[in-house]
Amino acid sequence: MDEKKVGLSDTTKAKTEPKTFRRNPIVGTKFTIAISSAKGGVGKSTFASNLALALKKMDLSVGLLDADIYGPSLPKLFSINEKPESDGQKLKPILKYGIQCMSIGFLTEEQTPMIWRGPMVISAIKTFTQKVLWKDLDFLIVDMPPGTGDTQLTFAQEINMDGVIIISTPQEIALQDVKRGIRMFDKLKVKILGLIDNMSHFIGDDGKKYAIFGEGGVKKTAEEFKKDFMGEIPIDPEVGKQGDLGSPIVESKPDHEISKKYFKFAEKIKSIYLLD
Ligand code: ADP
């Protein structure tokens, strides 16, 4: 089990002793990669699901954990309506598109009020890390809750993550939160693999490029914090459409230009962790 010291920023160092976290490795997987965003609605779940599908199509064994307690997306994105079976001790992930899937959304009714979900966070983390029968995975992709609040912090502290990818749109308001997210992962000593600029621009029917949310902000933020800028994904209505149909674009249209981008990201992840 990893025991990692957490360095605090200079301003707080004097006041607080560095803390030590004991993180739980997830049994049944070689590498756990978290997909994070500072804000909701920037395309984190879309990225997580398409990245998982791209890795799977590259013949890797992949799991997808939707850890967003407040807004689970996986049931809809993968069109999964069944409940996971239990062997009495552990939950079996649901196999869809060749991917081992788990989501709080499989366990609760869609209508479960938010106020009941708060106290469920800790037990959900325990269930996800210790009580799911992940089997022989090369990669477990974790779709983290958005933000840098308690839920996200607890996940970052509890789960032994090998790396995190941060998704953002180029909007100034999103970038402010991204910076907070970067600082949090740095403090927690979770390796930031890089930043992705999602919905970076839109190419109109006239062939012109429209920077709807502004331009270059994610790359600039990556440079400012000396993190890798992994690339951009433009706005394409097909991405949303296929997600809504329950079969993300990499699954339904693997030859689409946008799918090729996800394959490139998957190649990168593979090359970072698996040397072949
Ligand atoms: P989050 O997980 O950050 O809340 P989602 O993945 O649910 O965000 O995406 C929010 C919305 O944006 C969804 O409707 C999704 O289909 C859409 N979306 C995400 N990425 C793109 C993209 N590159 N082009 C077009 N629509 C996108």
Side-chain angles (χ1 to χ4, degrees):
M1 192 178 288
D2 256 357
E3 194 174 275
K4 295 178 183 168
K5 282 201 166 173
V6 174
L8 300 175
S9 70
D10 288 334
T11 45
T12 49
K13 212 180 248 170
K15 290 182 237 151
T16 329
E17 282 296 302
K19 281 186 197 159
T20 301
F21 293 112
R22 283 185 175 279
R23 295 197 176 102
N24 296 308
I26 300 187
V27 175
T29 184
K30 281 192 197 135
F31 301 106
T32 301
I33 311 291
I35 312 300
S36 182
S37 71
K39 278 213 176 307
V42 298
K44 170 182 56 64
S45 301
T46 304
F47 182 85
S49 58
N50 280 297
L51 179 72
L53 286 162
L55 287 164
K56 167 67 197 143
K57 287 186 190 296
M58 286 158 49
D59 283 335
L60 294 166
S61 174
V62 185
L64 182 53
L65 168 56
D66 173 9
D68 193 343
I69 313 289
Y70 290 95
S73 314
L74 193 53
K76 176 107 182 93
L77 274 175
F78 270 26
S79 187
I80 297 173
N81 302 309
E82 53 201 289
K83 291 223 178 293
E85 290 172 16
S86 159
D87 68 356
Q89 299 280 319
K90 294 198 170 186
L91 285 173
K92 291 185 196 161
I94 291 173
L95 197 67
K96 185 85 188 249
Y97 305 135
I99 292 176
Q100 297 174 35
C101 302
M102 184 53 68
S103 168
I104 192 85
F106 301 160
L107 308 170
T108 57
E109 297 304 323
E110 214 172 304
Q111 307 304 334
T112 304
M114 288 297 173
I115 196 164
W116 292 353
R117 295 195 183 201
M120 284 165 40
V121 168
I122 301 293
S123 66
I125 294 167
K126 287 216 170 86
T127 305
F128 289 153
T129 52
Q130 297 163 20
K131 297 214 183 295
V132 177
L133 282 167
W134 304 107
K135 200 163 180 299
D136 301 330
L137 297 179
D138 293 310
F139 289 106
L140 178 64
I141 304 299
V142 183
D143 183 2
M144 296 276 278
T148 49
D150 280 352
T151 314
Q152 232 250 7
L153 197 65
T154 313
F155 266 102
Q157 291 170 349
E158 293 284 331
I159 297 180
N160 185 24
M161 290 183 287
D162 294 288
V164 58
I165 297 174
I166 298 177
I167 315 292
S168 182
T169 55
Q171 242 170 332
E172 201 48 51
I173 192 157
L175 291 171
Q176 278 174 17
D177 291 346
V178 165
K179 292 175 188 177
R180 204 171 304 138
I182 293 175
R183 289 193 192 100
M184 182 187 80
F185 287 118
D186 277 350
K187 268 188 197 170
L188 294 167
K189 299 272 185 256
V190 178
K191 184 174 170 46
I192 297 173
L193 298 175
L195 273 64
I196 304 255
D197 186 345
N198 190 42
M199 303 200 247
S200 53
H201 60 272
F202 177 74
I203 308 277
D205 288 339
D206 54 6
K208 280 194 194 145
K209 184 174 165 180
Y210 294 90
I212 293 177
F213 297 125
E215 206 167 12
V218 181
K219 188 161 189 238
K220 232 169 71 195
T221 306
E223 283 164 4
E224 187 185 330
F225 286 83
K226 300 194 170 44
K227 305 296 175 195
D228 194 14
F229 176 66
M230 296 180 82
E232 45 185 43
I233 306 171
I235 299 177
D236 191 313
E238 205 56 33
V239 175
K241 191 171 147 202
Q242 298 305 322
D244 282 349
L245 289 171
S247 171
I249 195 159
V250 168
E251 180 61 27
S252 53
K253 301 194 166 183
D255 296 326
H256 193 284
E257 279 309 308
I258 298 273
S259 299
K260 287 181 192 158
K261 289 196 174 270
Y262 288 113
F263 278 108
K264 249 183 70 194
F265 295 129
E267 286 286 355
K268 169 116 201 210
I269 301 299
K270 185 182 171 191
S271 71
I272 291 175
Y273 291 97
L274 307 170
L275 292 173
D276 53 301

